[in-house]
Amino acid sequence: MNELIQTMDRLFPQMVAWRRHLHQHPELSFHEVETAGFIAKEIQQMDIEVRTGVGGYGVLGLLKGGRPGPTVALRADIDALPIQDEKTCEYASKRNGVMHACGHDAHTATLLGVAKACSAHREELNGNLVFLFQPAEEVSPGGAVSMIADGALDGVDAVYGVHLWTPFPVGTAASRPGPMMAAADEFVIDVKGKGGHGGLPHETIDSIVIASHLVVNLQTIVSRTTDPTDACVISVGSFHGGSSFNVIAEKTRITGTVRTFDQKLRSDIKSRIEHIVSHTCAMFGAQYEIDYKWGYPPVVNHAAEAERFFKVGAQVLGKDAIFECPLIMAGEDFSYYLQNRTGCFMFVGAGNQEKNANFSHHHPKFDIDEDAMLNAAHLLIGMALDYMNDTDKC
Ligand code: MN
């Protein structure tokens, strides 16, 4: 273990170089052609079995350990975002309008480093490691579903993943048992009334007035019909209707997002929205259409694996560095792995004002403290080895 960690530490400059190369050459979700090629080439050089084209541009590396034992999968996402990089540093994106603004470049570099360090010590491993380089985390339906459908978890016993996280300071790491990140669903509601003259409302069905009632009525789902101790959000993010001051709008469209942590509440809210829309529209004699798009399910950590995080995290980063994070309303398709296998998702602090790593994720000036990659690598290795060496797994 100690020698493996020393090997890992010596690879840090290479991890930085990998990360900066990827940062300069970002690719959007479902278009990670070069990124996948880059990963496959590096993994091959480590003498690790490679599978490319896994559920799209996914890359899977299989490292067989020298001794028998379980198989642990470690996952990194590899896609970038449609954002113009506004940083001025030497490794800023070279591609107009595309940027690694969520740190997936660093996730990829970290996992490459972990793979290389572990490959140098394969004889000592009590089991196997699977490295999952997953495309398209940022855009639903995401790359996790298709990778799993393509066999990414075949033979895997447990799965771990990290997200570098600038809201938490570098040097720290956090997770929690049970729900951690939200399900993120989307709705589009079209209210169809009857257009007409602004001075003759009695001859029309005013879609703007009806949609306004909808916005207000939707607020009552969280405030009046949901258990106040259950975290959830319904936000209407856009409202479009009409084109002239003296014309009553025939059609108004509202769109919004629903965030929940519980599958039952999640489907209850969908029904509740349909109920409110149908009855409100009926009240005014309007027609409607609802397009409800299921996003990623909530990220739910397995209790025993979160427990392992608190133990291993304290060992590799120090007791004071580890904390239980609050619920996070953002979504992540790591949820699908946890629906299929035992495991845990973890945040690794990457924020540092002195290194301009103090912008939120998806911000045009987003950057990380690269030291966080080494912490993430230590944590991933620690979790994998602890699982492999654990004789009484829960
Ligand atoms: Mn992300």
Side-chain angles (χ1 to χ4, degrees):
M1 170 79 180
N2 277 345
E3 280 176 27
L4 172 48
I5 290 297
Q6 280 165 17
T7 306
M8 186 72 252
D9 292 350
R10 280 196 297 274
L11 287 170
F12 182 61
Q14 187 164 24
M15 280 162 67
V16 171
W18 281 327
R19 184 256 166 170
R20 293 186 177 192
H21 171 82
L22 294 167
H23 200 80
Q24 287 176 301
H25 304 92
E27 291 176 300
L28 292 174
S29 312
F30 298 107
H31 295 87
E32 306 91 337
V33 188
E34 286 174 34
T35 307
F38 176 83
I39 294 164
K41 192 172 136 257
E42 291 295 337
I43 289 278
Q44 241 146 16
Q45 285 172 6
M46 300 169 196
D47 199 18
I48 291 174
E49 248 176 68
V50 186
R51 246 187 87 198
T52 55
V54 184
Y57 291 117
V59 180
L60 185 152
L62 170 62
L63 178 66
K64 289 186 176 140
R67 305 189 194 115
T71 297
V72 176
L74 305 175
R75 173 270 207 170
D77 41 11
I78 67 172
D79 55 328
L81 286 154
I83 294 173
Q84 178 65 41
D85 194 339
E86 290 180 9
K87 293 194 301 299
T88 47
C89 63
E90 62 189 21
Y91 55 86
S93 172
K94 290 183 173 173
R95 292 189 173 144
N96 251 343
V98 188
M99 178 189 174
H100 270 294
C102 200
H104 299 185
D105 52 340
H107 300 165
T108 305
T110 298
L111 195 56
L112 282 173
V114 169
K116 189 162 181 175
C118 291
S119 71
H121 295 267
R122 67 185 76 198
E123 295 309 322
E124 299 141 45
L125 296 178
N126 296 323
N128 311 309
L129 286 170
V130 168
F131 306 103
L132 301 175
F133 295 91
Q134 181 213 302
E137 190 283 323
E138 298 286 1
V139 179
S140 179
V145 164
S146 52
M147 278 193 82
I148 294 168
D150 203 358
L153 290 178
D154 291 359
V156 168
D157 297 291
V159 60
Y160 303 111
V162 291
H163 206 304
L164 300 190
W165 204 243
T166 56
F168 300 157
V170 68
T172 64
S175 187
R176 58 183 287 135
M180 179 163 85
M181 297 180 78
D185 303 322
E186 179 188 342
F187 60 81
V188 178
I189 301 167
D190 285 316
V191 178
K192 294 172 188 170
K194 185 181 166 203
H197 196 291
L200 304 169
H202 57 292
E203 290 178 0
T204 72
I205 298 172
D206 189 342
S207 67
I208 287 185
V209 170
I210 300 162
S212 302
H213 278 278
L214 277 184
V215 172
V216 174
N217 291 345
L218 289 175
Q219 304 307 306
T220 65
I221 297 175
V222 175
S223 67
R224 301 291 85 182
T225 62
T226 304
D227 184 329
T229 61
D230 288 336
C232 64
V233 174
I234 299 176
S235 291
V236 172
S238 77
F239 188 114
H240 289 104
S243 55
S244 179
F245 81 98
N246 59 356
V247 176
I248 285 174
E250 178 146 312
K251 208 177 129 186
T252 296
R253 166 172 287 190
I254 62 179
T255 67
T257 185
V258 177
R259 306 287 165 119
T260 51
F261 291 93
D262 175 82
Q263 286 291 2
K264 178 164 187 316
L265 178 60
R266 191 183 183 200
S267 46
D268 285 353
I269 284 181
K270 176 177 182 279
S271 314
R272 191 78 198 135
I273 287 175
E274 287 163 352
H275 186 79
I276 283 175
V277 171
S278 72
H279 285 74
T280 304
C281 288
M283 189 163 81
F284 294 101
Q287 304 294 309
Y288 68 92
E289 244 174 63
I290 304 175
D291 183 9
Y292 203 90
K293 297 169 188 169
W294 296 109
Y296 302 148
V299 173
V300 182
N301 286 324
H302 296 242
E305 296 306 325
E307 203 56 50
R308 192 186 307 282
F309 159 76
F310 289 111
K311 181 185 80 176
V312 170
Q315 286 165 4
V316 299
L317 296 174
K319 202 166 177 286
D320 295 340
I322 303 305
F323 63 101
E324 182 169 312
C325 64
L327 293 172
I328 291 182
M329 301 313 289
E332 237 292 347
D333 73 348
F334 195 80
S335 48
Y336 292 110
Y337 300 105
L338 295 177
Q339 283 186 338
N340 284 277
R341 293 292 184 276
T342 188
C344 187
F345 195 59
M346 302 159 283
F347 289 106
V348 173
N352 186 350
Q353 191 140 17
E354 283 169 22
K355 296 185 183 175
N356 293 323
N358 55 333
F359 294 94
S360 69
H361 289 253
H362 299 203
H363 188 282
K365 289 187 175 159
F366 175 81
D367 204 354
I368 53 149
D369 183 335
E370 288 169 326
D371 290 350
M373 292 195 289
L374 206 49
N375 294 339
H378 287 178
L379 188 57
L380 285 170
I381 291 173
M383 292 295 284
L385 294 190
D386 196 76
Y387 185 92
M388 286 173 168
N389 301 333
D390 192 347
T391 43
D392 55 35
K393 289 178 198 74
C394 312

